[in-house]
Amino acid sequence: MTCEGCKGFFRRSVTKKIVYECKFNKCCHIDTFMRRKCQYCRLKKCVEQGMRMDLVLPEELNKTKREAKAAGSGSHLCSSESPNSLSEMKLSYMEGLSPEISELIKRTTLNNNNNFWPTDADLASISVILKFKIF
DNA sequence: CTTGTGAATATGACCTAT
DNA sequence: TATAGGTCATATTCACAA
Ligand SMILES: [Zn+2]
């Protein structure tokens, strides 16, 4: 649940993978006025309040979706290299990982119900996960 | 060092889609 | 119906000339 402003801000931030920077101490007070003054702290608060980046359609997938729609009725000529599903896309990030890490990621993000999300303890035990852009 | 101006970016209220 | 992406007028920031 969020306002339209933060909804748009969050979506733009995630899809474009923008990395903001706080000009102060990463602890700016965010309200309807100040939210426009520090994007870093705004995004930080969005996450703190529970907004999840994994609920934003990754740009790469969104692109194939748009292309499919733009193609109109004739759904031919679809020789795109882009992934056709979230699972397919996430799998491309699995290459080169140890089987243990790979399995852990699969179990926590690919096949299970939408409500499951790793706890801080889970994340701490697999800091390697932070390397993935999609997170 | 101020001010004006137009381009580039970001925002958010409203809309559409599933 | 709930929630996510799309739209685009408006607002803000930026670059640079005067
Ligand atoms: Zn800040």
Side-chain angles (χ1 to χ4, degrees):
Chain A
M1 297 285 287
T2 182
C3 62
E4 288 293 310
C6 289
K7 168 188 162 188
F9 168 76
F10 193 74
R11 176 156 44 83
R12 287 191 296 272
S13 300
V14 176
T15 59
K16 294 157 84 172
K17 296 181 167 63
I18 302 176
V19 176
Y20 301 117
E21 186 178 334
C22 178
K23 291 180 163 111
F24 308 98
N25 302 304
K26 305 182 195 300
C27 59
C28 305
H29 180 261
I30 300 298
D31 57 31
T32 54
F33 176 71
M34 287 303 293
R35 67 187 183 189
R36 263 173 283 112
K37 303 303 176 184
C38 183
Q39 297 170 307
Y40 175 94
C41 292
R42 183 180 188 176
L43 183 59
K44 174 166 165 281
K45 182 165 184 177
C46 283
V47 173
E48 287 172 356
Q49 297 305 308
M51 293 178 73
R52 288 163 49 184
M53 299 198 260
D54 64 305
L55 295 186
V56 176
L57 197 58
E59 169 57 27
E60 199 163 15
L61 271 184
N62 202 4
K63 184 179 168 221
T64 66
K65 181 183 171 188
R66 279 199 303 272
E67 287 172 346
K69 175 168 290 185
S73 54
S75 60
H76 52 301
L77 241 170
C78 187
S79 59
S80 175
E81 284 301 309
S82 304
N84 290 307
S85 71
L86 185 59
S87 294
E88 187 179 319
M89 194 192 104
K90 284 189 175 181
L91 284 173
S92 69
Y93 285 87
M94 305 285 260
E95 298 168 8
L97 294 178
S98 71
E100 293 80 7
I101 296 298
S102 179
E103 180 62 20
L104 176 56
I105 292 175
K106 272 191 271 189
R107 292 194 183 197
T108 55
T109 70
L110 296 181
N111 308 316
N112 300 315
N113 68 72
N114 301 329
N115 295 323
F116 178 80
W117 194 240
T119 65
D120 288 342
D122 292 329
L123 292 176
S125 67
I126 50 170
S127 59
V128 65
I129 205 172
L130 298 177
K131 288 195 307 186
F132 298 108
K133 302 170 186 174
I134 57 174
F135 294 112

